[in-house]
Amino acid sequence: MIKKSILLIALFAVGLSSYGQNSGKAKALLDEVYNKVQSYDNIYIDFQSTLENTEANLKQETNGNVTLDGEKYLLNYFGAKQLYDGKKVYTVVPENEEVTIEDINEDNDNVSPSKMLTFYKTGHNYEWDILQNVGGRKIQYVKLIPIDSNTEIKSVLLGIDTQTKHIYKLIQTGSNGTKTTITVNSFKTNQPISSTLFTFDEKKYEDKGYYIIRN
């Protein structure tokens, strides 16, 4: 769950390849979002996530946060923590008292948020969608549609604050009917962060008796 969620969170900073008449506006807006994100030294996002599937009578809600600094990131989500130090991914699940240590595998879906900043260049079409007023903020939605019809993702809606050019909301609809909604509560940039924030202390968890899994 936590690894796939990385993909959703990373979509807060992307734009995708265009098609059709209305896609020109979508491309221009998403390029603005991308360029704005690229200009920051680091980003901190606090968010609320909702996972729903009506047929399965499923609804899960949780809060989380992620700090991005270049290729490195620290994600807190569903009571777990995932850290990428630029070399390896460390996933800590306190409920199971275990830590998984693995390399980034760019051949599968578990790519880091930093890599997701460039994935937009291929693989999707997008459309200009609705404009909403949320508490006085103008939120313009762009619909992302995977070119590959066999993908697990049917569509993604990105809601963009037209003034700040930051992502406010993401709504992903799966081919199985599952809808994941991520709403940004706080979006901060260029924050003072500790030099050890992206350093993993394996001994700390060994001393706690955590089971260490190396893949």
Side-chain angles (χ1 to χ4, degrees):
M1 174 65 74
I2 190 170
K3 292 180 186 177
K4 289 189 177 181
S5 300
I6 282 283
L7 301 176
L8 299 181
I9 295 158
L11 281 167
F12 287 128
V14 303
L16 297 115
S17 57
S18 65
Y19 79 107
Q21 185 175 0
N22 289 331
S23 66
K25 292 190 296 184
K27 182 181 187 302
L29 180 57
L30 289 171
D31 282 347
E32 285 188 79
V33 173
Y34 173 77
N35 291 331
K36 193 78 175 284
V37 168
Q38 289 287 79
S39 70
Y40 299 133
D41 291 333
N42 59 66
I43 299 171
Y44 173 83
I45 300 171
D46 180 88
F47 60 89
Q48 180 181 17
S49 175
T50 303
L51 182 71
E52 294 181 274
N53 187 309
T54 305
E55 289 186 4
N57 195 28
L58 170 69
K59 185 172 183 178
Q60 293 179 319
E61 295 180 326
T62 189
N63 292 323
N65 60 74
V66 62
T67 301
L68 305 167
D69 186 354
E71 291 190 349
K72 300 175 182 179
Y73 66 82
L74 175 63
L75 169 68
N76 295 289
Y77 193 55
F78 273 119
K81 176 171 75 172
Q82 186 170 88
L83 181 149
Y84 178 54
D85 62 3
K87 296 180 179 179
K88 291 187 178 294
V89 179
Y90 305 86
T91 304
V92 181
V93 184
E95 184 179 359
N96 300 337
E97 295 189 346
E98 69 178 28
V99 175
T100 302
I101 303 174
E102 57 192 329
D103 295 321
I104 283 283
N105 184 350
E106 296 186 11
D107 293 331
N108 62 26
D109 289 338
N110 299 329
V111 276
S112 70
S114 55
K115 299 297 184 185
M116 291 294 289
L117 292 175
T118 56
F119 97 108
Y120 69 90
K121 295 178 180 178
T122 59
H124 297 76
N125 296 317
Y126 49 70
E127 301 172 351
W128 195 254
D129 212 275
I130 65 170
L131 177 68
Q132 286 187 335
N133 188 311
V134 180
R137 300 166 64 189
K138 291 183 179 179
I139 307 298
Q140 176 63 55
Y141 282 86
V142 173
K143 189 173 186 179
L144 289 59
I145 304 171
I147 294 173
D148 183 0
S149 59
N150 294 321
T151 182
E152 294 180 1
I153 300 173
K154 184 178 179 181
S155 66
V156 176
L157 275 171
L158 284 178
I160 301 166
D161 186 316
T162 59
Q163 181 176 359
T164 64
K165 301 302 186 292
H166 293 162
I167 300 296
Y168 164 70
K169 182 172 288 190
L170 177 150
I171 305 171
Q172 175 183 287
T173 302
S175 56
N176 63 353
T178 299
K179 180 180 288 187
T180 304
T181 302
I182 296 179
T183 304
V184 175
N185 297 322
S186 176
F187 190 108
K188 299 178 181 179
T189 63
N190 301 337
Q191 298 295 294
I193 58 177
S194 168
S195 60
T196 60
L197 182 64
F198 303 106
T199 301
F200 185 76
D201 186 354
E202 184 175 340
K203 188 176 184 303
K204 168 186 172 182
Y205 292 97
E206 287 179 340
D207 292 344
K208 289 182 178 181
Y210 276 51
Y211 181 59
I212 309 296
I213 304 169
R214 299 180 188 276
N215 293 334

